[in-house]
Amino acid sequence: MNTDDIRLQLPDHAADRRKELEMTSRDILHNALDHFHTDHVPVDIGATAVTGMHVSTVAALRDHYGLPKIPVKVWEPYQMLGHIDEDLACIIGIDTAGVPAENTMFGYPAADWKPWTTPQGLPILVPGKFNTTVDSKGDILMYPEGDTNAPASGRMPRDGYFFDTIIRQETIADASLRAEDNLQEFGMYAERTLSYFETGVRQAAKIGKAVVATIGGTALGDVALVPAPFLKHPRGIRDIQEWYISTALRPDLVKEIFSREVDIALENLAQINSRVGSLIDVVFICGTDFGTQQSPFCSEATFRDLYLPYYKRMNDWIHANTQWKTFKHSCGAIRPLMTAIADAGFDIINPVQCSAAGMEPKALKDEFGGRLTFWGGGIDTQRTLPFGTPYEVREEVLRRCEIFSKNGGFVFNAVHNIQAKTPIANVVAMIDAVHAFNGSL
């Protein structure tokens, strides 16, 4: 299917979003990433596990637009993110196509779909190995690799919307700690995995959108991954609190883990680059959060000592051997670290949590807009989108687009995933505001 075919399928109110038919989504995103000022802000919703939308919100949005009533697929079960089919993607005006990791956060592929019903009664489709049990409190338990004989690794409260990790930490004895144990999930990609990425990237590239690949194995100390909900019997330091303690008390061990992880990652990146490197536009490198609502987790000096050298090895290799742009996710008040993040070689920062201390949009753009692309920050998901009025949503989106899009370097996305129970009128107001800014409404 070529891009002209896709445009012909657009509903009337979305078909006018591109006045120049020769301009593909990939072109539009490249202009933004190369910091060229244009009148069109590219949009990403759903290309990564940090830029998506809850399955219930996807279903409600489909209903709003009168699209065929089909059960939405949950492609990322940990956060219960819904797959956005092309009919809805066209209405929203999404310019990206995501290629996720081979397996989900619970260690099984998003494949072999089967029906499931959420605690709120919504019929959806889940992966074939999405195998759960219910405990005595009515909570839903999830299992690594779908193996219900293994200890449960995730828990959804009986009236919940997504899973929380169950920490499975073996007794820690400092004398027996080994880097190998925290490298249990890392290794050279087998042919099956390389073929998965090659197929996924080629399919994503066919429709003219920018390809965003989550290749995996490149996240340094991401506390969503440290507990390893995808492993049946994780070894090493898996408790989140213990991991943070280790960054202060066991820095040499942490550095050894990072160094060896990067060695493996560079080999895997080279393998994927040799197969489909020219078709990938953006790689999601790391989702490690460095900010709280009020301040960074660590000092800039600690970031530069403990993290930057390993990030820089990956980013430097990517920039020397590919045309990819590198994507760093970190929630929170990270302005004091953003110079170091840029020095580490990252091209993109997400989710741009403007509600955190010191993260005022204009100040961020003025100080860092020449070095970093802001992928996010388009609407506050703590207050405005879930609790504001449609008018307030529209006004905030238009202000953010005006600030962040100056001289390029902006991809529209909400601040992290759009959650369940977000008023659909507000989501529609967000979409309409971006269309209005881009001159298509």
Side-chain angles (χ1 to χ4, degrees):
M1 182 184 294
N2 62 38
T3 52
D4 289 336
D5 293 330
I6 294 168
R7 291 189 190 102
L8 290 174
Q9 296 169 10
L10 289 174
D12 289 343
H13 60 284
D16 293 335
R17 68 179 294 265
R18 289 187 177 87
K19 302 229 175 11
E20 299 178 3
L21 292 179
E22 71 275 8
M23 194 78 161
T24 67
S25 286
R26 193 182 195 201
D27 296 331
I28 292 166
L29 191 115
H30 273 266
N31 281 343
L33 296 177
D34 291 337
H35 296 267
F36 294 146
H37 179 77
T38 68
D39 293 328
H40 192 106
V41 170
V43 175
D44 168 42
I45 298 177
T48 76
V50 293
T51 61
M53 187 181 294
H54 192 270
V55 62
S56 63
T57 307
V58 175
L61 204 54
R62 291 187 64 84
D63 287 345
H64 172 85
Y65 288 116
L67 297 174
K69 197 168 183 64
I70 57 174
V72 177
K73 294 176 179 176
V74 172
W75 71 270
E76 207 300 281
Y78 187 70
Q79 301 173 93
M80 296 295 287
L81 300 181
H83 178 71
I84 299 174
D85 285 332
E86 194 61 26
D87 54 358
L88 180 56
C90 286
I91 291 174
I92 296 171
I94 294 173
D95 295 297
T96 55
V99 181
E102 182 183 22
N103 289 323
T104 67
M105 280 284 286
F106 291 112
Y108 50 74
D112 305 321
W113 304 97
K114 64 183 182 182
W116 195 72
T117 302
T118 70
Q120 295 74 37
L122 178 67
I124 59 174
L125 293 177
V126 296
K129 291 189 176 181
F130 184 108
N131 296 327
T132 62
T133 62
V134 178
D135 70 8
S136 60
K137 298 186 296 183
D139 292 351
I140 300 167
L141 302 180
M142 178 67 77
Y143 296 86
E145 300 181 36
D147 185 354
T148 55
N149 293 315
S153 60
R155 178 189 303 276
M156 179 188 290
R158 63 183 181 181
D159 57 353
Y161 292 88
F162 50 81
F163 287 90
D164 299 311
T165 299
I166 296 174
I167 302 297
R168 298 160 297 152
Q169 177 66 66
E170 298 178 350
T171 301
I172 291 177
D174 274 82
S176 60
L177 283 175
R178 306 180 309 155
E180 288 84 353
D181 290 336
N182 274 90
L183 294 166
Q184 184 181 355
E185 57 267 46
F186 300 99
M188 294 298 299
Y189 284 159
E191 176 60 30
R192 182 198 69 249
T193 302
L194 296 172
S195 294
Y196 162 83
F197 279 113
E198 180 172 4
T199 300
V201 168
R202 291 191 184 280
Q203 288 178 344
K206 284 181 181 179
I207 60 175
K209 295 187 177 183
V211 176
V212 183
T214 302
I215 293 172
T218 55
L220 303 178
D222 186 340
V223 294
L225 303 176
V226 166
F230 38 80
L231 294 178
K232 293 181 182 180
H233 302 285
R235 302 188 301 269
I237 302 168
R238 300 296 177 172
D239 178 78
I240 293 172
Q241 181 176 344
E242 192 66 40
W243 176 260
Y244 279 128
I245 290 171
S246 296
T247 63
L249 299 186
R250 306 179 184 109
D252 291 341
L253 175 65
V254 172
K255 289 178 180 180
E256 183 182 357
I257 293 168
F258 287 170
S259 179
R260 292 171 63 178
E261 179 187 338
V262 172
D263 290 342
I264 297 167
L266 293 180
E267 293 290 337
N268 288 330
L269 292 171
Q271 288 285 338
I272 291 171
N273 182 45
S274 70
R275 294 187 178 215
V276 286
S278 64
L279 301 178
I280 296 173
D281 301 291
V282 175
V283 283
F284 184 176
I285 296 294
C286 187
T288 302
D289 287 321
F290 286 101
T292 69
Q293 192 73 23
Q294 297 299 324
S295 68
F297 274 118
C298 66
S299 67
E300 182 180 355
T302 296
F303 181 91
R304 289 184 178 276
D305 176 60
L306 193 59
Y307 296 93
L308 185 147
Y310 309 102
Y311 284 141
K312 196 169 190 307
R313 278 186 63 199
M314 291 187 284
N315 288 324
D316 284 354
W317 184 93
I318 288 168
H319 293 141
N321 292 280
T322 79
Q323 296 299 310
W324 307 343
K325 300 295 186 181
T326 58
F327 180 113
K328 175 75 184 84
H329 168 91
S330 175
C331 295
I334 59 167
R335 186 174 175 183
L337 302 180
M338 286 181 69
T339 297
I341 288 170
D343 289 347
F346 286 107
D347 302 296
I348 297 162
I349 189 68
N350 162 272
V352 197
Q353 188 183 336
C354 301
S355 60
M359 298 289 285
E360 295 82 7
K362 188 176 186 307
L364 291 177
K365 184 68 176 182
D366 288 347
E367 188 170 357
F368 305 108
R371 299 189 69 188
L372 292 167
T373 290
F374 297 99
W375 194 303
I379 183 70
D380 173 24
T381 51
Q382 287 184 310
R383 291 187 291 264
T384 313
L385 190 61
F387 303 117
T389 66
Y391 175 82
E392 290 168 336
V393 169
R394 179 183 175 86
E395 290 300 299
E396 183 166 294
V397 168
L398 292 174
R399 284 198 306 274
R400 297 285 176 85
C401 287
E402 183 69 29
I403 292 168
F404 282 126
S405 68
K406 184 180 179 182
N407 300 319
F410 177 54
V411 178
F412 181 87
N413 184 248
V415 178
H416 217 303
N417 297 319
I418 298 173
Q419 296 296 321
K421 301 178 70 175
T422 302
I424 291 304
N426 285 1
V427 179
V428 172
M430 175 193 79
I431 295 167
D432 286 349
V434 177
H435 288 172
F437 186 83
N438 284 339
S440 56
L441 266 187

